[in-house]
Amino acid sequence: MSHQQNLATLISKALQSLPDAPSARHNPSSAVQVRASPGWISKAKPDFVSVTRGPGMRSCLSAGIDTAKGLAVAWQVPLVGVNHMQAHSLTPRLVSALAPNSSPLVEPTFPFLSLLVSGGHSLLLHSTGLTSHAILANTSDIAVGDAVDKMARLVLPAEFIKQSGEIMYGRLLEQFAFPIGAEEHAYAAPVTRKEEMARKTTRWGWFLGAPLAETRSGSQSKAMEYSFSGLGSAVKRIVDSAGAELGMDERRGLAREAMRVAFEHLASRVVMALEGLRTKHVSSDKDIGTLVVSGGVASNNYLRAVLRSFLDIRGFSHVQLSFPPPSLCTDNAAMIAWTGMEMFEAGWESERDMTALRKWSLDPSAEDGGILGVGNWKQRHFNR
């Protein structure tokens, strides 16, 4: 209901930001009339309309798609349906393009690794091209953002939540764990895999084990997958066991440990992926020079510290970390517009009969064929 209520108003405001149309001597069909106060003003007609097609809830997506179709038909311009996880992966390229005095070469250039971390996804990708993002690791249960939010609601004092007025629980957990900021991180990554898997008992007598470490054969500890549900259950047991005796210092310690274990789990698969690519000679050290980290959890500064330390200590100090600014980490219209532009400039448009997709893989080898495998695409042929 909120999409239906708010979308028209948001678009009316957005139209005010279109570039001014050329003078009346130019082709009038290249302009659109936008209501202003008072009267009307001429704005430049967009070259195309970009909209999120999936993955996500069809009801929400359909509201945007139907609106985008209406604009594309009214303006007689192409339509581009965007995979919003692809958009997260490409967001640093948007930041690069908008940077002052930026070069024509948009960075990071392919190939690179993408770590997409949000409330709904935990994906590690080998991004080799605009529409080619091979899945190296995925979550087998819940996403890291979901896990962090649930742990935050367990650990954070009720009064702290109330005073903050914040509903982004993951952000609150970081603020609570490190009230002074990054100078409190004092983090050094484990040097070896054995050290990483070792139990680290706290001064309160409890510990949080690494996900997938507690298996009989130990084979799952090396599996290229993510799992966060067990970590959340462990935090709940600690909170329930302590009850009213869980003091502020122990809560803060639990918040730090919960994030450390979750983020080390993310980092471990990144290192394993880099080691695997090196072993298979798929790339040299210089080929994979960037790890893109995007999605809502990417705004967490402690995650940045953990990833940087892991890469440095495990022999990948040459790999640069590319994080969007916090305002572009969560779902946003700018990343959809940018990805639509990259697809459009590569010659791709969507048919106007496209529909919303609840599931939509990024990987060309997936059952649905990935970004270009879902149908309703058409490719423009450039005159050379």
Side-chain angles (χ1 to χ4, degrees):
M1 180 64 73
S2 62
H3 287 71
Q4 292 177 323
Q5 289 176 332
N6 299 323
L7 197 53
T9 301
L10 289 173
I11 290 176
S12 294
K13 291 180 179 179
L15 292 177
Q16 306 292 329
S17 298
L18 288 174
D20 290 336
S23 66
R25 292 173 297 176
H26 293 77
N27 184 2
S29 65
S30 66
V32 294
Q33 297 300 307
V34 176
R35 185 183 293 276
S37 181
W40 297 79
I41 53 176
S42 293
K43 293 287 188 177
K45 182 191 294 185
D47 295 317
F48 65 95
V49 177
S50 183
V51 62
T52 307
R53 187 182 182 187
M57 296 177 61
R58 287 197 184 98
S59 58
C60 298
L61 294 169
S62 295
I65 290 173
D66 289 345
T67 303
K69 287 181 179 181
L71 292 172
V73 170
W75 292 337
Q76 289 296 287
V77 297
L79 181 69
V80 181
V82 170
N83 183 307
H84 100 267
M85 297 309 295
Q86 177 196 20
H88 276 304
S89 182
L90 299 180
T91 300
R93 291 169 59 84
L94 161 65
V95 177
S96 169
L98 293 178
N101 303 317
S102 60
S103 69
L105 182 65
V106 178
E107 296 180 339
T109 56
F110 298 103
F112 52 82
L113 292 188
S114 300
L115 181 61
L116 307 184
V117 284
S118 66
H121 298 85
S122 299
L123 279 172
L124 180 61
L125 307 168
H126 186 200
S127 299
T128 57
L130 178 61
T131 60
S132 182
H133 306 266
I135 296 176
L136 302 179
N138 199 353
T139 181
S140 59
D141 40 57
I142 64 174
V144 62
D146 187 19
V148 170
D149 282 352
K150 288 177 177 176
M151 292 187 294
R153 288 193 287 268
L154 289 168
V155 174
L156 293 175
E159 189 61 26
F160 182 83
I161 297 175
K162 182 179 179 181
Q163 290 178 354
S164 70
E166 175 71 78
I167 60 172
M168 303 292 286
Y169 294 107
R171 184 184 303 166
L172 278 182
L173 189 67
E174 181 186 10
Q175 294 172 1
F176 176 73
F178 304 105
I180 296 177
E183 60 190 85
E184 291 186 284
H185 290 166
Y187 177 79
V191 178
T192 64
R193 182 73 174 157
K194 182 178 179 181
E195 183 182 341
E196 179 187 333
M197 292 293 101
R199 294 179 177 180
K200 300 173 179 63
T201 303
T202 67
R203 60 189 173 96
W204 297 282
W206 48 260
F207 67 90
L208 294 174
L212 301 180
E214 300 294 333
T215 58
R216 290 182 180 180
S217 64
S219 60
Q220 273 196 290
S221 68
K222 297 181 180 180
M224 284 300 293
E225 66 179 83
Y226 291 121
S227 175
F228 297 98
S229 61
L231 176 59
S233 298
V235 170
K236 187 177 188 306
R237 285 194 297 270
I238 293 170
V239 173
D240 290 345
S241 177
E245 296 182 3
L246 188 64
M248 194 66 72
D249 285 346
E250 187 173 1
R251 286 181 183 273
R252 184 162 283 119
L254 183 53
R256 292 181 179 184
E257 274 297 282
M259 285 191 291
R260 178 190 67 79
V261 173
F263 297 161
E264 283 189 353
H265 186 43
L266 291 172
S268 69
R269 271 53 188 173
V270 171
V271 169
M272 288 164 62
L274 289 168
E275 290 173 343
L277 290 172
R278 176 185 286 173
T279 300
K280 294 177 182 178
H281 304 289
V282 171
S283 62
S284 68
D285 285 353
K286 293 182 179 179
D287 285 335
I288 299 294
T290 303
L291 170 64
V292 167
V293 189
S294 193
V297 183
S299 62
N300 189 300
N301 287 311
Y302 189 49
L303 172 61
R304 303 179 186 212
V306 170
L307 287 170
R308 183 71 271 162
S309 184
F310 245 84
L311 291 171
D312 291 346
I313 287 177
R314 297 294 182 88
F316 296 96
S317 59
H318 67 280
V319 176
Q320 297 182 354
L321 290 175
S322 182
F323 286 81
S327 61
L328 294 178
C329 284
T330 54
D331 293 347
N332 62 86
M335 72 180 192
I336 302 301
W338 170 259
T339 303
M341 188 172 76
E342 289 224 52
M343 292 294 289
F344 184 75
E345 291 184 345
W348 294 103
E349 302 173 14
S350 298
E351 300 282 357
R352 288 180 180 164
D353 61 349
M354 74 166 187
T355 55
L357 297 172
R358 186 176 68 86
K359 294 183 178 181
W360 188 7
S361 178
L362 294 169
D363 195 330
S365 65
E367 185 176 349
D368 65 1
I371 294 170
L372 295 177
V374 295
N376 299 113
W377 286 108
K378 61 180 179 180
Q379 190 169 21
R380 299 191 316 280
H381 297 284
F382 300 98
N383 295 323
R384 297 188 182 277

